[in-house]
Amino acid sequence: MDSRRSSRAVIDPKVRQVGFFTSAPLPPDRTQSDPPDPIRSPPLADASSPGNSLSPVMIPPPRHPSDSLLRLPHSPSDAFPPPSPTTTTTSLGDFSDDVTAASSPPPAAARVRGRGSSVKQQGAASSFPGGGFEVPPSVKAPSSVPASGLTTVSVVKLPPGISENAGGSVSVEVQSDRALNSKPLKEKTSKAERRAIQEAQRAAKAAAKAEGIKTPAVTALANAKSAKSTKPSPQRNDSAVVVAASEKKGGDRSVEKDRKKDVPHPRMQYDDKSRVQKLKKRSVVKPTEARNRVELFRHLPQYEHGTQLPVLQSKFFQLDTLHPAVYKVGLQYLSGDICGGNARCIAMLQAFQEAIRDYSTPPAKTLSRDLTAKISSYVSFLIDCRPLSVSMGNAIRFLKSQIAKIPISLSESEAKATLHSDIERFINEKIILADRVIVKHAVTKIRDGDVLLTYGSSSAVEMILQHAHELGKQFRVVIVDSRPKHEGKLLLRRLVRKGLSCTYTHINAISYIMHEVTRVFLGASSVLSNGTVYSRVGTACVAMVAYGFHIPVLVCCEAYKFHERVQLDSICSNELGDPDSISKVPGREDINHLDGWDKSENLQLLNLIYDATPSDYVSLIITDYGMIPPTSVPVIVREYGRGQLWIYEECDPLASPGRCSDAVFFVDGLIFYPSQHLVLSFWFPDRPPSGLNNDLLERSDNFVTVAENGNFTNFEL
Amino acid sequence: MDFQVVVLAGGTSKKLVPLVSKEVPKALLPVANRPVLSYVLEQLELSNIKDLIVVVEGADAALCVGGWISAAYVDRLHVEVATVPEDVGTAGALRAIAHHLTAKDVLVVSGDLVSDVPPGAVTAAHRRHDAVVTAMICSVPVSGLSEAGSSGAKDKTKKPGRYNIIGMDPTKQFLLHIATGAELEKDTRIRKSILRAVGQMDIRADLMDAHMYAFNRSVLQEVLDQKDKFQSLKQDVLPYLVRSQLKSEILINGAPQGQQAKENGNDKVSYRILANASTPSFHELYALGPNGSAPVRRTHKCCVYIASNSKYCVRLNSIQAFMDINRDVIGEANHLSGYNFSAQNNIIHPSAELGSKTTVGPHCMLGEGSQMGDKCSVKRSVIGRHCRIGSNVKVVNSVVMNHVTIGDGCSIQGSVICSNAQLQERVALKDCQVLSLSTSVFLSLSSNEYL
């Protein structure tokens, strides 16, 4: 490991030139020393911070705008020509050229490019302000309509805000709104003033740092808030120096706080009575808890399913502050109309899109803060309806960070347009394009004569099967299903309609049917960083049987569903479904022996929704970053899990080698274009890298990273 | 929530003719000494609905209703009253105010509905399925039932009437067939295409349309525009929408689904993911082409919300219903009346005066300022304000409105006595309606006569 490190250290400068570095774990001293000493030697830097966290993995990490600003000018222009209109051919490139040409000197241009298409959207929006969103006509029109035939006989004289609150609705939003209302009132200083104070504090801190930490008290401002800055906490000082980072972190922190206020902790222990009480007070749905709960799973929320829907329905008009689209999605979660990780995530994001479209910042509030609170209240409502999936959690985190990133100077319509396109981009790139890439990868694993087994209904697996069928591959599909949801039936129906040859069986027959199977394709709700696959209950069983028969298990999962959590079993975090659905068999009155089971004290039903498949049983995880072994999941989580967006472009480097002249190829299929920033595409590992034009690679002076079991080695070409 | 609420308060209904008059339109008929419209308005207010449009037939009635609402609900609700000519029907009434409707959906409630079903339940079911129309249906009221077993109730050999024939899918979410009015007498005809698409249909005759509908606004307006013959929501518009649900002729310009899918590739994929994740309703399956390609047939959804049996839900659309509702509101459904019941399970206004040996039984109500003589007995009845009742009077299962004078020794069973009526001594009334305006009654009357 040590030798590898040193070897990496040798090529370190080059890496940095193309913008390969991690932003978050950067030790402060590096950044500090950077501007005055750009061509500093990496061993020295390493020595100054031994054990620093620069990761040994050389996958393109997320870049920070300020970082690229600092570093790009130093890149040798022969290896990586600075972006110019002639070299950029992608549509994105075209666009950022416009921006460059319009206003900025090269460093600023790099920054603009770093922010990629969000800038594009802003620009577009600013060119025709308010064009993207038409403000819907006010709903309260009747009062203002020329009263032809309408006579107002009774008027509520209270101002609308008060009357809404007085409606007696017990909603979280109202409370939180009030809280927010009161806050800005307290500190009535203008934005500019506050800003000035902050700047002053920051400057003071920086000065203190320069003088040394010996005399922190001296730097204390005469300001009332100076108490905080006098605390000689090294962490704070660090963050004060890395201005950009501290700003970003600060934003995140406030977001975090907001979320903590509104949303129950994802792994809240529901057997803790006082906490459950507290939660219930805030909850909109007011669920009644199920009485007979299995001992081992008491920490999970379980409610009587029959009661939730009517309560939520009857609250329809009370939930004034909820956007109708969000309400509808919540209702669909609760009633089970929408299930499946991708679908739930898309539905939620589209509802948020609508909510943002109809959103208008109330007076005396800033968009980013108020909207974050609003989204938080929506999220807590959705949690009331059904616990969030990991995919939704990641999507929400992304959305909130995008909101936090919106500069205050942006007008409301522009900000809304930006967010709208951000969400659109998330759906397109993290889900749809990711699925497409997964399909491309996975299809290579299907050969003629294969018998593929799948369990339940996974959208990714379905696309794979359909695409393979369209390619004309000859294979057979075994769909394994289970009670009570029978999701496989829907998949079966669609596949049979497409003309695939299918076998349908229940999970009871898994050990029999596994004899004839050659590959197992599974979907996942989430992949955790120890490689555990968190998926529909029954998946673990299928994977284990396949493992026993030495049949490869391929899990198809988009990278946005990855999570850094580590989970060893399916007990500590899971979701409980409606126990009635396993006790009752629809359409079979004659075998409903368990009628009225909940009156019996000594019977507990357990309807788990998910289970955890240990990574031992998983041969391969097919994700949008390529096909990786389960041990490599932490790498993906670390390198890509920071909520940034990548723009994938499906380009075949062999088809258009000219465009790949400055690309970095990774053996796991990733292509990175340093000069175009953020533009990634894929090539296909089954075609050997030697298929690439060798002199092309030499000319472009790039290097290839080889991934093996999560340990990455770099070598220069 | 992007909903507008329209209350159809009607005018002077023909069915209720002895009870209603120019001064007392249907909406103001007293139920437990409160106008029946107040039950709807309060139920809506309870659901946090503050903006209402009340549509009244006839200018006189509109004046009365408007006057009452402005007196009773000032500062509580924002109510606008629209006047439409008489006999335009419910569809006509909505046509007349169509230009005031702007929200995405419209909730239409009949003003004579006495119910504790939260209107949000209907609207939520509507939104959940992106339906074109959602109707609330409830079980048919059992009229004349009274557990006390008083003679008046027993004599009535009324079986629950058939109001509607309703066909639903097995999940009881979608409305597949509805027969109303004259169609009830004919043979039931069901569309084969619908039956084939659904596979199974539950046909119920013990349910009735409660006249609370959630409509998609644009669809409603389109239907009202195109079909100008349509008179009634219940008999024309709703059956039309239900009939045509698998070969929709309406353009849903909100474009819930379908149209979006064609926009571009990515939207199509996300639409497909969403569609695959949910269990498709028979509409979607039917709309799909034979090989599961893009939707080829246009459909729309008609949903139902079935009020649970524990909820009270009756329409005041006949004299019998009027009696039943009065009895129920002070009886088994007394949470609706909004009064506090005494320990004896009745309400006697503190200003009412009772003679000696006068008993007021449970499930009774005695209005403000009423006087009763000695040895009277009141059972399961409502007596209005400022009535003067002599001694030795028996009132059973009856409704006595305001300012009624009843002479000594009268016996009133199962009757309605309207405001300002005067009954002379020793009059026996059974199953009668006595009109107001200083009518003096000398005779004994029985069974379904009115003066």
Side-chain angles (χ1 to χ4, degrees), chain A residues 475-608:
Chain A
F475 62 96
R476 205 155 63 77
V477 182
V478 177
I479 296 173
V480 179
D481 204 358
S482 72
R483 288 204 63 226
K485 288 202 163 196
H486 292 297
E487 290 161 312
K489 274 188 189 170
L490 293 171
L491 175 66
L492 179 74
R493 185 191 189 114
R494 292 191 289 263
L495 291 185
V496 168
R497 199 191 275 143
K498 294 257 168 177
L500 279 82
S501 128
C502 297
T503 307
Y504 179 78
T505 184
H506 271 212
I507 196 163
N508 320 33
I510 185 75
S511 61
Y512 167 77
I513 203 79
M514 200 56 91
H515 284 287
E516 32 185 292
V517 172
T518 56
R519 295 241 190 298
V520 175
F521 279 93
L522 296 173
S525 167
S526 169
V527 175
L528 309 177
S529 64
N530 59 344
T532 303
V533 174
Y534 187 69
S535 187
R536 175 72 67 225
V537 66
T539 305
C541 170
V542 173
M544 198 164 67
V545 174
Y547 180 77
F549 281 86
H550 303 292
I551 293 163
V553 176
L554 299 97
V555 172
C556 310
C557 182
E558 299 82 0
Y560 85 105
K561 291 178 179 171
F562 285 20
H563 199 274
E564 67 230 5
R565 199 196 312 165
V566 170
Q567 202 173 319
L568 300 175
D569 55 31
S570 47
I571 298 168
C572 61
S573 171
N574 209 322
E575 191 184 328
L576 297 178
D578 182 6
D580 270 336
S581 67
I582 54 169
S583 70
K584 289 198 176 111
V585 185
R588 287 288 302 276
E589 299 298 327
D590 51 325
I591 53 166
N592 279 345
H593 307 301
L594 285 179
D595 278 350
W597 63 272
D598 46 356
K599 289 182 188 66
S600 151
E601 278 298 318
N602 51 0
L603 170 65
Q604 293 125 15
L605 297 185
L606 177 64
N607 180 13
L608 280 179

Side-chain angles (χ1 to χ4, degrees), chain A residues 23-24 61-63 114-115 118 248 252 391 393-405 422-423 425-427 429-430 559-564 625 636-648 678:
Chain A
S23 73
R63 261 130 320 117
R115 291 189 58 89
S118 76
K248 196 177 157 217
D252 282 351
S391 58
N394 284 345
I396 291 164
R397 202 190 305 162
F398 160 78
L399 178 59
K400 285 193 172 172
S401 72
Q402 291 305 109
I403 295 174
K405 267 186 214 155
D422 282 342
I423 295 177
R425 232 147 34 98
F426 188 89
I427 295 177
E429 288 161 21
K430 291 281 187 184
Y560 85 105
K561 291 178 179 171
F562 285 20
H563 199 274
E564 67 230 5
Y625 297 109
I636 301 276
V637 171
R638 185 173 61 223
E639 300 300 322
Y640 300 107
R642 303 237 170 74
Q644 84 282 26
L645 274 179
W646 301 90
I647 299 165
Y648 308 119
L678 290 183

Side-chain angles (χ1 to χ4, degrees), chain A residues 8-24:
Chain A
R8 177 190 53 76
V10 171
I11 58 161
D12 218 10
K14 223 171 219 169
V15 172
R16 205 166 288 112
Q17 280 160 2
V18 295
F20 278 1
F21 41 80
T22 47
S23 73

